[in-house]
């Protein structure tokens, strides 16, 4: 799933650049280690990234600039 999401988000970041400019915060629900939200925030530093996932997943997640890891279960 991660590979597919990466391809889709990469294309979206190029094609939907104007739409992303108005976003101030973005939550990646079930975001794993936060790599995808980190990529989005790196390209769009005005966005506050939130990576929401289970505690045991986030226990191994690295820190990413501009991304906050939030433990939860939905």
């Amino acid at each position: 799933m991660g590979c597919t999401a990466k391809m889709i988000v990469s294309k979206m970041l190029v094609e939907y650049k104007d739409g992303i400019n108005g976003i101030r915060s973005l939550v990646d629900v079930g975001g794993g280690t936060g790599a995808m939200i980190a990529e989005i925030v790196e390209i769009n530093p005005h966005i506050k990234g939130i990576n929401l996932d289970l505690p045991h997943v986030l226990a191994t997640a690295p820190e990413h600039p501009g991304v906050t890891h939030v433990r939860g279960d939905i």
Side-chain angles (χ1 to χ4, degrees), residues 24-51:
R24 297 290 168 239
S25 62
L26 184 64
V27 179
D28 188 353
V29 178
T33 61
M36 189 59 58
I37 192 75
E39 184 177 335
I40 294 169
V41 170
E42 182 179 353
I43 296 169
N44 300 279
H46 67 280
I47 296 176
K48 176 185 174 191
I50 300 167
N51 179 40

Side-chain angles (χ1 to χ4, degrees), residues 1-9 28-31 36:
M1 188 168 157
C3 292
T4 303
K6 185 169 180 67
M7 290 186 307
I8 291 168
V9 170
D28 188 353
V29 178
M36 189 59 58

Side-chain angles (χ1 to χ4, degrees), residues 9-74:
V9 170
S10 295
K11 180 76 169 169
M12 180 200 70
L13 290 172
V14 171
E15 298 293 327
Y16 194 62
K17 185 69 175 168
D18 293 334
I20 292 173
N21 289 336
I23 296 173
R24 297 290 168 239
S25 62
L26 184 64
V27 179
D28 188 353
V29 178
T33 61
M36 189 59 58
I37 192 75
E39 184 177 335
I40 294 169
V41 170
E42 182 179 353
I43 296 169
N44 300 279
H46 67 280
I47 296 176
K48 176 185 174 191
I50 300 167
N51 179 40
L52 175 69
D53 214 316
L54 297 169
H56 74 276
V57 174
L58 296 180
T60 61
E63 294 298 318
H64 299 286
V67 176
T68 302
H69 296 301
V70 177
R71 294 179 165 118
D73 183 0
I74 64 162

